[in-house]
Amino acid sequence: DAGVIQSPRHEVTEMGQEVTLRCKPISGHNSLFWYRQTMMRGLELLIYFNNNVPIDDSGMPEDRFSAKMPNASFSTLKIQPSEPRDSAVYFCASSFYGTQYFGPGTRLLVL
Amino acid sequence: AQKITQTQPGMFVQEKEAVTLDCTYDTSDQSYGLFWYKQPSSGEMIFLIYQGSYDEQNATEGRYSLNFQKARKSANLVISASQLGDSAMYFCAMREGGTGANSKLTFGKGITLSVRP
């Protein structure tokens, strides 16, 4: 069975550019989570969806960040404009009323 | 107050020995779940084991077991017969409430485990 799929795996961009991260959850899962991991702040929950509806976006750092889940098999996290402090590993995870399974992450570097 | 506390700065264990990684939690919910994840140097987050608050027996998954002490609010991970591949960062996490829509996890800061040959 395919796990959570994230793309791209690595992204290098310049400050001010738009960045779009993509996630395909495990088929049949009804919750999707976006996390950010940095050395300083650890693993932070940014936003999560249940049945494609955003439930809690209190972790989204500011208006530059937005997330969508247009259907059960796809979600995006967008940063516009990007800043160097957004450099981190971004994880997507999905679950079905229980354990969260993580994707491989997207390593973002904003120069 | 932190909901998940992992205070061990770094752990070392000899190959083939057992090791315990500590985790304490704080919640007022009666129904909650506790999870352990492994993050090797390659970066992925791997689910290891789960314990529900109403589970009467400690969870086990192969070489992993969870020493669940509800009154002390601790959920320590025990790895038996350590292998070199167990060297990684280990995260304890908690889900408060049941497995309904509010299923977000709160993670601890993690513990680094190094297995010596």
Side-chain angles (χ1 to χ4, degrees):
Chain A
D1 290 341
V4 176
I5 299 171
Q6 291 187 247
S7 64
R9 295 291 308 276
H10 302 273
E11 178 83 19
V12 180
T13 190
E14 293 187 346
M15 182 174 64
Q17 295 298 307
E18 177 179 294
V19 175
T20 299
L21 310 181
R22 298 173 176 79
C23 175
K24 177 179 170 54
I26 293 171
S27 178
H29 282 192
N30 63 344
S31 294
L32 183 141
F33 306 80
W34 282 101
Y35 292 89
R36 178 173 68 177
Q37 185 178 37
T38 61
M39 289 292 292
M40 290 296 294
R41 300 175 69 90
L43 197 60
E44 305 173 276
L45 176 66
L46 300 177
I47 184 171
Y48 79 97
F49 297 82
N50 191 60
N51 294 323
N52 311 338
V53 176
I55 302 299
D56 184 349
D57 66 353
S58 60
M60 296 286 263
E62 46 200 275
D63 292 345
R64 298 185 297 107
F65 286 69
S66 63
K68 294 182 180 179
M69 192 165 185
N71 57 62
S73 59
F74 184 66
S75 177
T76 59
L77 177 68
K78 187 175 293 187
I79 308 173
Q80 166 65 20
S82 57
E83 297 182 3
R85 58 192 168 121
D86 301 330
S87 298
V89 179
Y90 290 81
F91 287 103
C92 175
S94 70
S95 72
F96 179 73
Y97 296 118
T99 301
Q100 292 183 23
Y101 294 91
F102 283 71
T106 295
R107 191 172 296 271
L108 174 66
L109 178 61
V110 183
L111 301 175
Chain B
Q2 290 186 17
K3 289 186 177 289
I4 295 288
T5 302
Q6 297 180 263
T7 57
Q8 295 161 309
M11 293 287 288
F12 293 88
V13 65
Q14 202 68 30
E15 193 178 8
K16 299 181 184 178
E17 293 185 349
V19 63
T20 298
L21 306 183
D22 295 341
C23 173
T24 58
Y25 60 92
D26 182 29
T27 182
S28 57
D29 285 357
Q30 296 300 308
S31 177
Y32 53 90
L34 297 156
F35 301 78
W36 278 92
Y37 287 83
K38 171 185 177 182
Q39 187 174 40
S41 59
S42 52
E44 68 267 36
M45 291 285 286
I46 302 167
F47 165 69
L48 295 178
I49 196 167
Y50 165 78
Q51 178 86 40
S53 59
Y54 292 121
D55 294 341
E56 294 186 353
Q57 292 195 339
N58 287 342
T60 61
E61 288 286 348
R63 294 186 300 110
Y64 304 108
S65 61
L66 202 152
N67 184 1
F68 181 46
Q69 298 187 42
K70 197 169 183 177
R72 298 180 61 184
K73 294 189 174 180
S74 73
N76 299 338
L77 177 69
V78 180
I79 305 174
S80 63
S82 298
Q83 301 172 357
L84 296 178
D86 294 334
S87 295
M89 180 82 83
Y90 289 81
F91 291 92
C92 179
M94 177 174 64
R95 182 200 66 238
E96 294 180 277
T99 56
N102 182 20
S103 56
K104 65 180 181 180
L105 297 179
T106 302
F107 283 83
K109 294 187 181 302
I111 303 168
T112 300
L113 175 66
S114 298
V115 180
R116 292 172 169 153

